[in-house]
Amino acid sequence: MPAIPERRERERAHRHELIITAARELAEAEGWEAVTTRRLADRVEYSQPVLYSHFDGKEAIVSAVALDGFIELAAHLRRARLAAPESGHALRAVCRAYLEFATERPALHQAMFVLPTDLKFASAETPPPLRACFAEFVSCFRPDSERRELFAEVTWSAVHGMAVLSDSGRISPHGQQERLDFLITQIAGAPLGPTGR
């Protein structure tokens, strides 16, 4: 028979995940402005004090959702890179996968990149899932290139800009393929990896 502390820890972990899932579902259905501790408490059928025993507030909940999103994004980008059918096509596949992810999961993408979180980017404290996402872009460039991280950073920045501007209606979503083609053409002189594998 499991010890009581172990059972309580499992129950706590389950509640934690339940709150994250509820926040994400509510945000996808109604937007992040609809995600309040009161609505989450009603949705998961726990009191607000129970929610606050897991998270300090909305920013902490958004941070947890964002971290889950980076885990998903890293796996999505990796699958795309590894499935690139021909030499040098990994970068296009990764960029397209990023745009698909942002389009298909707008609230999750907002949590990851637009809303305030306590996640650290580009620092020694950057969580592994964030590093894994960046590594997928870096892997599209040859290992012997001294500037592969710079190429990856600029590429991700450009694709991210396309996603955010399209989502906010600043640019038409219908031109994404043409923009992506233009970006890849401009980067064609970069040290692209042989297969992305």
Side-chain angles (χ1 to χ4, degrees), residues 66-75 126-135 156:
L67 192 59
D68 278 0
F70 281 109
I71 293 168
E72 287 181 31
L73 177 60
T126 301
L130 281 69
R131 292 179 185 274
C133 290
F134 183 59
W156 190 353

Side-chain angles (χ1 to χ4, degrees), residues 68-86:
D68 278 0
F70 281 109
I71 293 168
E72 287 181 31
L73 177 60
H76 187 66
L77 297 180
R78 181 170 176 75
R79 281 191 302 273
R81 181 176 60 82
L82 294 177
E86 297 175 31

Side-chain angles (χ1 to χ4, degrees), residues 78-91 136 139-141 143 148 193-197:
R78 181 170 176 75
R79 281 191 302 273
R81 181 176 60 82
L82 294 177
E86 297 175 31
S87 175
H89 286 212
L91 184 61
E136 290 306 320
S139 295
C140 294
F141 298 92
R148 70 193 299 224
T195 63
R197 294 178 195 274

